[in-house]
Amino acid sequence: MSDLLDRLRGRGWRLTAQRRVVAEVLDGDHVHYTADEVHAKAAELLPEISRATVYNTLGEMVSLGEVLEVSTDGRAKRYDPNAHHAHQHLVCSRCGTIRDVHPAGDLLAGLPPEERFGFQLSAVEVTYRGLCPGCAAA
């Protein structure tokens, strides 16, 4: 069983066949599918699943805090099931491939006090950009 399914079950979330399939599609490392990609993969497992059901299920998972919604450079939103594992993202500037990365050190501590403008920091989001191996070779 996937980590995401375990977390959803632990929250008492009713796992219908449709919700289970969406969670199964999102299982794994470096998963950052668009809603349409989730729908296409879910339809391979459960042909009758509707696009609306996938969108609604993704929205519920995001609202629960079990899936992250990742937006990059005006591209379609992507869904990341690693909501409970602190990480940042590495994004290919050309094709949009996204990989999870885990930088060393406390990123919150990296912002000097004079650059905080009195804010009490609670979280940090860093996106590293570059070219993936495939795009760099082209």
Side-chain angles (χ1 to χ4, degrees):
M1 185 180 328
S2 79
D3 180 50
L4 179 57
L5 277 172
D6 284 340
R7 293 189 331 249
L8 292 168
R9 183 174 283 116
R11 292 179 72 96
W13 201 50
R14 194 169 62 95
L15 283 173
T16 63
Q18 294 85 354
R19 287 174 167 182
R20 174 182 290 278
V21 166
V22 170
E24 288 172 356
V25 165
L26 289 173
D27 187 36
D29 293 328
H30 306 291
V31 172
H32 302 95
Y33 297 133
T34 65
D36 286 340
E37 289 170 332
V38 172
H39 177 255
K41 291 176 183 301
E44 291 173 10
L45 301 170
L46 190 67
E48 65 273 14
I49 194 166
S50 71
R51 181 171 269 110
T53 296
V54 169
Y55 274 84
N56 290 336
T57 301
L58 289 170
E60 290 175 24
M61 290 177 172
V62 169
S63 293
L64 288 171
E66 297 299 337
V67 170
L68 301 173
E69 199 172 66
V70 179
S71 299
T72 60
D73 296 337
R75 295 178 186 258
K77 292 177 186 169
R78 295 181 175 266
Y79 296 88
D80 181 350
N82 295 320
H84 296 280
H85 306 288
H87 67 282
Q88 306 305 319
H89 293 105
L90 177 62
V91 178
C92 179
S93 300
R94 187 172 293 157
C95 72
T97 294
I98 302 174
R99 294 285 182 255
D100 292 345
V101 293
H102 305 86
D106 180 4
L107 296 177
L108 284 172
L111 187 62
E114 64 273 9
E115 289 293 319
R116 296 180 186 204
F117 302 99
F119 280 62
Q120 292 182 1
L121 303 179
S122 59
V124 63
E125 293 180 23
V126 174
T127 302
Y128 299 91
R129 298 186 188 286
L131 295 177
C132 69
C135 290

Coordinates of all heavy atoms in Angstrom, one line a residue, residues 62-118:
V62 N -5.5 18.1 -1.8 CA -4.7 19.4 -1.5 C -5.3 20.1 -0.2 O -4.6 20.5 0.6 CB -4.8 20.3 -2.7 CG1 -4.2 21.7 -2.4 CG2 -4.0 19.7 -3.9
S63 N -6.6 20.1 -0.1 CA -7.3 20.8 1.0 C -6.9 20.0 2.3 O -6.8 20.7 3.4 CB -8.8 20.8 0.8 OG -9.2 21.7 -0.2
L64 N -6.8 18.7 2.2 CA -6.4 17.9 3.4 C -5.0 18.1 3.8 O -4.5 17.7 4.8 CB -6.7 16.5 3.2 CG -8.2 16.0 3.1 CD1 -8.3 14.6 2.6 CD2 -8.8 16.1 4.5
G65 N -4.2 18.7 2.9 CA -2.7 18.8 3.1 C -2.0 17.5 2.8 O -0.8 17.4 3.2
E66 N -2.6 16.6 2.1 CA -1.9 15.3 1.8 C -1.2 15.3 0.4 O -0.4 14.5 0.1 CB -2.9 14.2 1.9 CG -3.5 14.0 3.2 CD -2.5 13.6 4.3 OE1 -1.4 13.1 4.0 OE2 -2.8 13.9 5.5
V67 N -1.5 16.3 -0.4 CA -0.9 16.5 -1.7 C -0.6 18.0 -1.9 O -1.4 18.8 -1.5 CB -1.8 16.0 -2.8 CG1 -1.3 16.3 -4.2 CG2 -2.0 14.5 -2.7
L68 N 0.6 18.3 -2.4 CA 1.0 19.6 -2.7 C 0.6 20.0 -4.2 O 0.7 19.2 -5.1 CB 2.5 19.8 -2.6 CG 3.1 19.5 -1.2 CD1 4.6 19.6 -1.3 CD2 2.5 20.5 -0.2
E69 N 0.2 21.2 -4.3 CA -0.1 21.8 -5.7 C 1.1 22.6 -6.1 O 1.5 23.5 -5.4 CB -1.3 22.6 -5.6 CG -2.0 22.9 -7.0 CD -3.3 23.6 -6.8 OE1 -3.3 24.7 -6.3 OE2 -4.3 22.9 -7.1
V70 N 1.8 22.2 -7.1 CA 3.0 22.9 -7.5 C 2.8 23.6 -8.8 O 2.3 23.1 -9.8 CB 4.2 21.8 -7.8 CG1 5.5 22.5 -8.2 CG2 4.4 21.0 -6.5
S71 N 3.1 24.9 -8.8 CA 2.9 25.8 -10.0 C 4.3 26.3 -10.4 O 5.1 26.7 -9.6 CB 2.0 27.0 -9.7 OG 0.7 26.6 -9.3
T72 N 4.6 26.2 -11.7 CA 5.9 26.6 -12.2 C 5.7 27.4 -13.5 O 5.2 26.8 -14.5 CB 6.9 25.5 -12.5 OG1 6.3 24.6 -13.4 CG2 7.2 24.7 -11.2
D73 N 6.1 28.6 -13.6 CA 6.2 29.4 -14.8 C 5.0 29.4 -15.7 O 5.1 29.2 -16.9 CB 7.4 29.0 -15.6 CG 8.7 29.2 -14.9 OD1 8.7 30.1 -14.0 OD2 9.7 28.6 -15.2
G74 N 3.8 29.5 -15.1 CA 2.6 29.5 -16.0 C 2.2 28.2 -16.6 O 1.3 28.2 -17.4
R75 N 2.9 27.1 -16.3 CA 2.5 25.8 -16.8 C 1.4 25.3 -16.0 O 1.0 25.8 -14.9 CB 3.7 24.9 -16.7 CG 4.9 25.3 -17.6 CD 6.0 24.3 -17.4 NE 7.2 24.7 -18.1 CZ 7.6 24.1 -19.2 NH1 6.9 23.2 -19.8 NH2 8.7 24.5 -19.8
A76 N 0.8 24.2 -16.4 CA -0.3 23.5 -15.7 C 0.1 23.2 -14.3 O 1.3 22.8 -14.1 CB -0.8 22.3 -16.4
K77 N -0.8 23.3 -13.3 CA -0.4 22.9 -11.9 C -0.1 21.4 -11.9 O -0.7 20.6 -12.7 CB -1.6 23.1 -11.0 CG -1.9 24.6 -10.8 CD -3.2 24.7 -10.0 CE -3.5 26.2 -9.9 NZ -4.9 26.4 -9.3
R78 N 0.8 21.0 -11.1 CA 1.2 19.6 -10.9 C 0.9 19.2 -9.4 O 0.9 20.1 -8.6 CB 2.7 19.4 -11.3 CG 2.8 19.7 -12.8 CD 4.3 19.5 -13.2 NE 4.4 19.6 -14.6 CZ 4.3 18.6 -15.5 NH1 4.2 17.4 -15.1 NH2 4.4 18.8 -16.8
Y79 N 0.8 17.9 -9.2 CA 0.4 17.4 -7.9 C 1.5 16.5 -7.4 O 1.9 15.6 -8.0 CB -1.0 16.7 -8.0 CG -2.0 17.8 -8.4 CD1 -2.3 18.0 -9.7 CD2 -2.7 18.5 -7.4 CE1 -3.2 19.0 -10.0 CE2 -3.6 19.5 -7.7 CZ -3.9 19.8 -9.1 OH -4.7 20.7 -9.4
D80 N 1.9 16.8 -6.2 CA 3.1 16.2 -5.5 C 2.6 15.5 -4.2 O 2.1 16.2 -3.3 CB 4.1 17.2 -5.2 CG 5.4 16.7 -4.6 OD1 5.4 15.5 -4.2 OD2 6.3 17.5 -4.5
P81 N 2.7 14.2 -4.2 CA 2.2 13.4 -3.0 C 3.1 13.5 -1.8 O 2.8 13.0 -0.7 CB 2.0 12.0 -3.5 CG 3.1 11.9 -4.5 CD 3.2 13.2 -5.2
N82 N 4.3 14.1 -2.0 CA 5.3 14.1 -0.9 C 5.1 15.3 0.0 O 6.0 16.0 0.3 CB 6.7 14.1 -1.5 CG 7.0 12.8 -2.2 OD1 6.6 11.7 -1.7 ND2 7.6 12.8 -3.3
A83 N 3.9 15.5 0.4 CA 3.5 16.7 1.2 C 4.1 16.6 2.6 O 4.2 17.7 3.3 CB 2.0 16.8 1.3
H84 N 4.4 15.5 3.1 CA 4.9 15.4 4.5 C 6.4 15.1 4.6 O 6.9 14.8 5.6 CB 4.1 14.3 5.2 CG 2.7 14.6 5.4 ND1 2.2 15.5 6.4 CD2 1.6 14.3 4.6 CE1 0.9 15.6 6.2 NE2 0.5 14.9 5.2
H85 N 7.1 15.3 3.5 CA 8.5 15.1 3.4 C 9.1 16.4 2.9 O 9.0 16.8 1.8 CB 8.9 13.9 2.5 CG 8.2 12.7 2.8 ND1 8.5 11.9 3.9 CD2 7.2 12.0 2.2 CE1 7.8 10.9 4.0 NE2 6.9 10.9 2.9
A86 N 9.8 17.1 3.8 CA 10.4 18.4 3.5 C 11.3 18.3 2.3 O 12.2 17.5 2.3 CB 11.1 19.0 4.6
H87 N 11.0 19.1 1.2 CA 11.8 19.1 0.0 C 11.6 20.3 -0.8 O 10.7 21.1 -0.5 CB 11.6 17.8 -0.8 CG 10.2 17.8 -1.4 ND1 9.1 17.4 -0.7 CD2 9.8 18.0 -2.7 CE1 8.0 17.5 -1.5 NE2 8.4 17.9 -2.7
Q88 N 12.5 20.5 -1.8 CA 12.4 21.6 -2.7 C 12.2 21.0 -4.1 O 12.2 19.8 -4.2 CB 13.6 22.6 -2.6 CG 13.8 23.1 -1.2 CD 12.6 23.8 -0.5 OE1 11.9 24.5 -1.2 NE2 12.4 23.5 0.7
H89 N 12.2 21.8 -5.1 CA 12.0 21.3 -6.5 C 13.1 21.8 -7.4 O 13.6 23.0 -7.3 CB 10.6 21.7 -7.0 CG 9.5 21.0 -6.3 ND1 8.7 21.7 -5.4 CD2 9.1 19.7 -6.3 CE1 7.9 20.8 -4.9 NE2 8.1 19.6 -5.4
L90 N 13.5 21.0 -8.3 CA 14.4 21.2 -9.4 C 13.6 21.1 -10.7 O 13.0 20.1 -10.9 CB 15.5 20.2 -9.4 CG 16.6 20.3 -10.5 CD1 17.3 21.6 -10.4 CD2 17.6 19.1 -10.4
V91 N 13.5 22.2 -11.4 CA 12.6 22.3 -12.6 C 13.4 22.6 -13.9 O 14.3 23.5 -13.9 CB 11.6 23.4 -12.4 CG1 10.7 23.5 -13.6 CG2 10.8 23.2 -11.2
C92 N 13.2 21.8 -14.9 CA 13.8 22.0 -16.2 C 13.1 23.2 -16.9 O 11.9 23.2 -17.0 CB 13.7 20.8 -17.1 SG 14.5 21.1 -18.7
S93 N 13.9 24.2 -17.2 CA 13.3 25.4 -17.8 C 12.8 25.2 -19.2 O 12.0 26.0 -19.7 CB 14.4 26.5 -17.9 OG 14.9 26.8 -16.6
R94 N 13.2 24.1 -19.8 CA 12.7 23.9 -21.2 C 11.5 23.0 -21.2 O 10.4 23.3 -21.7 CB 13.8 23.3 -22.1 CG 13.4 23.1 -23.5 CD 14.6 22.7 -24.4 NE 15.6 23.8 -24.5 CZ 16.8 23.7 -24.7 NH1 17.3 22.5 -25.0 NH2 17.7 24.7 -24.8
C95 N 11.6 21.8 -20.7 CA 10.5 20.8 -20.8 C 9.6 20.7 -19.6 O 8.5 20.1 -19.6 CB 11.1 19.4 -21.1 SG 11.9 18.6 -19.7
G96 N 10.0 21.3 -18.5 CA 9.1 21.4 -17.3 C 9.3 20.2 -16.4 O 8.5 20.1 -15.4
T97 N 10.2 19.3 -16.6 CA 10.4 18.1 -15.7 C 10.7 18.6 -14.3 O 11.4 19.6 -14.1 CB 11.6 17.3 -16.2 OG1 11.2 16.7 -17.5 CG2 12.0 16.2 -15.2
I98 N 10.1 18.0 -13.3 CA 10.3 18.4 -11.9 C 10.9 17.2 -11.2 O 10.4 16.1 -11.3 CB 9.0 18.8 -11.3 CG1 8.3 20.0 -12.0 CG2 9.2 19.2 -9.8 CD1 7.0 20.4 -11.5
R99 N 11.9 17.5 -10.3 CA 12.4 16.5 -9.4 C 12.4 17.0 -8.0 O 12.7 18.2 -7.8 CB 13.9 16.1 -9.8 CG 14.0 15.4 -11.2 CD 13.5 14.0 -11.0 NE 13.7 13.3 -12.3 CZ 12.7 12.9 -13.1 NH1 11.4 13.3 -12.8 NH2 12.9 12.3 -14.2
D100 N 12.2 16.2 -7.0 CA 12.3 16.6 -5.6 C 13.8 16.6 -5.3 O 14.5 15.7 -5.7 CB 11.6 15.6 -4.7 CG 10.1 15.6 -4.9 OD1 9.6 16.6 -5.5 OD2 9.4 14.7 -4.4
V101 N 14.2 17.6 -4.5 CA 15.6 17.7 -4.0 C 15.5 18.0 -2.6 O 14.6 18.6 -2.1 CB 16.4 18.7 -4.8 CG1 16.7 18.3 -6.2 CG2 15.8 20.1 -4.8
H102 N 16.6 17.6 -1.9 CA 16.6 17.8 -0.4 C 17.9 18.5 0.0 O 18.9 17.9 0.3 CB 16.5 16.4 0.3 CG 15.3 15.7 -0.1 ND1 15.3 14.9 -1.2 CD2 14.1 15.7 0.4 CE1 14.1 14.4 -1.4 NE2 13.3 14.8 -0.4
P103 N 18.0 19.9 -0.1 CA 19.2 20.6 0.2 C 19.6 20.5 1.6 O 18.7 20.3 2.5 CB 18.8 22.1 -0.1 CG 17.4 22.1 -0.6 CD 16.9 20.7 -0.5
A104 N 20.9 20.5 1.9 CA 21.4 20.4 3.2 C 21.2 21.7 4.0 O 21.2 22.8 3.4 CB 22.8 19.9 3.2
G105 N 21.1 21.6 5.3 CA 21.0 22.9 6.1 C 19.6 23.4 6.2 O 18.7 22.9 5.6
D106 N 19.5 24.4 7.1 CA 18.3 25.0 7.4 C 18.1 26.2 6.5 O 18.7 27.3 6.6 CB 18.3 25.5 8.9 CG 17.0 26.2 9.3 OD1 16.0 26.2 8.5 OD2 16.9 26.6 10.4
L107 N 17.2 26.1 5.5 CA 16.9 27.1 4.5 C 16.3 28.4 5.2 O 16.5 29.5 4.7 CB 16.1 26.6 3.4 CG 16.6 25.5 2.5 CD1 15.6 25.1 1.5 CD2 17.9 26.0 1.9
L108 N 15.6 28.2 6.3 CA 15.0 29.4 7.0 C 16.1 30.2 7.6 O 16.0 31.4 7.6 CB 14.1 28.9 8.1 CG 12.7 28.4 7.6 CD1 11.9 27.8 8.8 CD2 11.9 29.6 7.0
A109 N 17.2 29.6 8.0 CA 18.3 30.3 8.7 C 19.1 31.0 7.6 O 19.9 31.9 8.0 CB 19.2 29.3 9.4
G110 N 19.0 30.7 6.4 CA 19.8 31.3 5.3 C 19.4 32.8 5.0 O 20.1 33.5 4.3
L111 N 18.2 33.2 5.5 CA 17.8 34.6 5.2 C 18.2 35.5 6.4 O 17.8 35.3 7.5 CB 16.2 34.6 5.1 CG 15.6 35.9 4.7 CD1 16.1 36.3 3.3 CD2 14.1 35.8 4.7
P112 N 19.1 36.4 6.2 CA 19.6 37.2 7.3 C 18.5 38.1 7.9 O 17.5 38.4 7.3 CB 20.6 38.2 6.6 CG 20.8 37.7 5.2 CD 19.7 36.8 4.9
P113 N 18.7 38.4 9.2 CA 17.6 39.1 9.9 C 17.2 40.4 9.2 O 16.0 40.7 9.2 CB 18.3 39.4 11.3 CG 19.2 38.3 11.5 CD 19.8 38.0 10.1
E114 N 18.2 41.1 8.6 CA 17.8 42.4 8.0 C 17.0 42.2 6.7 O 16.3 43.1 6.2 CB 19.1 43.2 7.7 CG 20.0 42.6 6.7 CD 21.1 41.7 7.3 OE1 20.9 41.3 8.5 OE2 21.9 41.2 6.6
E115 N 17.0 41.0 6.2 CA 16.2 40.7 5.0 C 14.8 40.1 5.3 O 14.0 39.8 4.4 CB 16.9 39.7 4.1 CG 18.1 40.4 3.4 CD 17.7 41.4 2.4 OE1 16.7 41.2 1.6 OE2 18.4 42.5 2.3
R116 N 14.5 40.0 6.6 CA 13.2 39.4 7.0 C 12.2 40.4 7.2 O 11.0 40.1 7.3 CB 13.4 38.6 8.3 CG 14.3 37.4 8.1 CD 14.5 36.6 9.4 NE 15.5 35.6 9.1 CZ 15.6 34.5 9.8 NH1 14.8 34.3 10.8 NH2 16.5 33.6 9.5
F117 N 12.5 41.7 7.3 CA 11.6 42.8 7.4 C 10.6 42.6 8.5 O 9.4 42.9 8.4 CB 10.9 43.1 6.1 CG 11.9 43.4 5.0 CD1 12.3 42.4 4.1 CD2 12.5 44.7 4.9 CE1 13.2 42.7 3.1 CE2 13.4 45.0 3.9 CZ 13.8 44.0 3.0
G118 N 11.0 42.0 9.6 CA 10.1 41.8 10.8 C 9.2 40.5 10.7 O 8.5 40.2 11.6

